[in-house]
Amino acid sequence: LLALGLGVANEGALKACGAPPAERAPALAYLRLAEELAGGGRGGAAAEEVRQARDALAFCVEEEREVELWRQRAEMLRAKGVGAGAGAKVAAKAKAKAPSGSGAAAVAALRLPLAARAFIDRVARRLAASPTVARAWELWSRVAGNAVWRAVAAGATTAALRVGGVLRRLRGSDDAAAANPNPNAAGAETIADVLRREAAPVEVVEVAPGRYADMAAAVEAKCFGEGRPLIVRAAGPGADAATEGYRRALLGAVEGALLGGAAGGAAGDETVRVSFSPKGRFDGPEDAAALGLDFDGEVLVRPAAESMSLGTFVRLVAHAQECAVQGAPCELPAGMYIEYLALHQYLTASLGGGGPAFAVEAPMMVSNFWMAGNPTVSPLHYDEYDNVLHQVLGEKDVFIFPPAALPELAYHPRYRATYKYVFPDAFEVAEVGEHPVLFGSSLRLDRSARGGAGDAEARRLLALQPQVAALRPGDMLCMPAFYHHEVHSRPEEVSFGAGEARLSLNAALNNWFHTDAVFEEEQRLFGYA
């Protein structure tokens, strides 16, 4: 009866899916019973309840299928060994539904097969190199370009749309490229490097080991009360920190998955949701044309996500790191990340629900778990709730800007897209939302800081008074709502058993707390009350 009336939004129903196998089977049986009892041919609200119960059941069944599929894939990769694969790539097929509004529904007609698109782009680059063609294009765009795109907005024919799309590529650059430049070349100093070196550090408050009451007082008074970021750090080397319990539990689960036996208990069988990214960036804006979408500007891309057991995830991470050590191609993407994993639903046996290690008056919304074996970037954004993050394994650099910097940080509405991961080494753009959303900045802190434009951008951002939180294991970062932040995570190497296995991991846990604060800068900038 768990799902009746609430369906996939019902925490109890979803917890049934994330539970260990021994608990999941009876929960699914009750879910099927709920669907059966809610039937009987009734209409109206009851029919909606039946649909929602079926949705919850379908979610659970699909999750079980993915868990088993990934177990088989991990076993296949282990059997094949390192060296077979071609590396991840984006094959952005235009399966997505086109955005609607302002004539954008017609954009679907612009989507050409990838082979044809590649041919056209090669021809366009050669033509664009010709001064004569460039001048002709400039004259054409002045005279007829606007007319073509007015026709697009009015729902012009497919032929007109394709002509417009090809001609726009002849420019060789566009507004989207200027707003979201190519990432920095390897080895050059980035804007993030400049901020790391020159921005002010976040204040650190040291507390004695186990003095969680002092942690709570610091968080309540300085962070939540005064509204400023704060790092709480255990005083003295090797001191027990708020994260020590999480660290022990997590390392026990990982060791059990790597070495077998009872070291990890049942934790290795617990289900997790894993996100996949071709570049190690998660939930940020990307150039639409580069993804094979024939409209200008950016889309906000969510990574692909599938379910597997924690043990399977650990074995995949170990395989990917072995590929890297040997310099061999790997049949896995560059970015695999457990992110936003709600601990009231998943890993309840191994991490015990993920509540904060201290008592504060603010009402807690949810605890999230994060883990990866590769470096990850969470692009610049802000949240609408107070945040306390516990760094468990590895290190993080959190680049923080004050809420008042909102007008200077290139936020604007974009359509939301979602990757679909196609095993072993491809990504597709599976869907594009119908309405723009406001989330994430267009700024790229991985852009080169060298040269006129890069250096000027770094100086401009430093003038906004950013701060940097350099987190190490055991640190706790408190960040009030509406502070803009970009997170760069790096793993640390951990030994398991008697040195039998080594694995590099980054892991964190954060608690979101409800706040009644209002983001006045957002209201002023985007014109709503």
Side-chain angles (χ1 to χ4, degrees), residues 27-44:
L28 289 175
Y30 278 113
L31 203 54
R32 292 186 177 93
L33 180 60
E35 178 188 14
E36 180 181 338
L37 294 179
R42 295 179 296 168

Side-chain angles (χ1 to χ4, degrees), residues 240-254:
D240 289 337
T243 56
E244 190 58 33
Y246 299 133
R247 183 183 179 97
R248 284 195 301 267
L250 179 61
L251 291 181
V254 172

Side-chain angles (χ1 to χ4, degrees), residues 247 392-395 473 490-494 503-506:
R247 183 183 179 97
V392 180
L393 295 168
E395 298 178 338
R490 299 179 300 278
E492 67 169 290
E493 187 176 74
V494 183
L503 200 65
S504 294
L505 291 171
N506 188 288

Side-chain angles (χ1 to χ4, degrees), residues 349-369:
S350 55
L351 294 183
F358 52 88
V360 293
E361 294 184 4
M364 194 182 79
M365 296 171 56
V366 68
S367 293
N368 296 310
F369 178 68

Side-chain angles (χ1 to χ4, degrees), residues 226-315:
E226 299 176 16
R228 55 193 176 100
L230 182 74
I231 296 175
V232 179
R233 178 172 292 161
D240 289 337
T243 56
E244 190 58 33
Y246 299 133
R247 183 183 179 97
R248 284 195 301 267
L250 179 61
L251 291 181
V254 172
E255 183 171 8
L258 279 178
L259 304 179
D269 293 329
E270 289 192 89
T271 301
V272 294
R273 294 287 290 173
V274 178
S275 296
F276 298 92
S277 164
K279 302 177 183 178
R281 282 170 51 88
F282 291 84
D283 211 10
E286 302 290 348
D287 180 62
L291 296 178
L293 304 175
D294 282 293
F295 53 91
D296 280 346
E298 298 173 332
V299 288
L300 181 65
V301 185
R302 276 292 300 152
E306 296 190 14
S307 296
M308 65 183 69
S309 71
L310 177 62
T312 295
F313 175 74
V314 169
R315 288 186 284 275

Side-chain angles (χ1 to χ4, degrees), residues 125-135:
R125 283 193 296 269
R126 292 182 180 179
L127 290 175
S130 165
T132 302
V133 172
R135 179 59 178 164

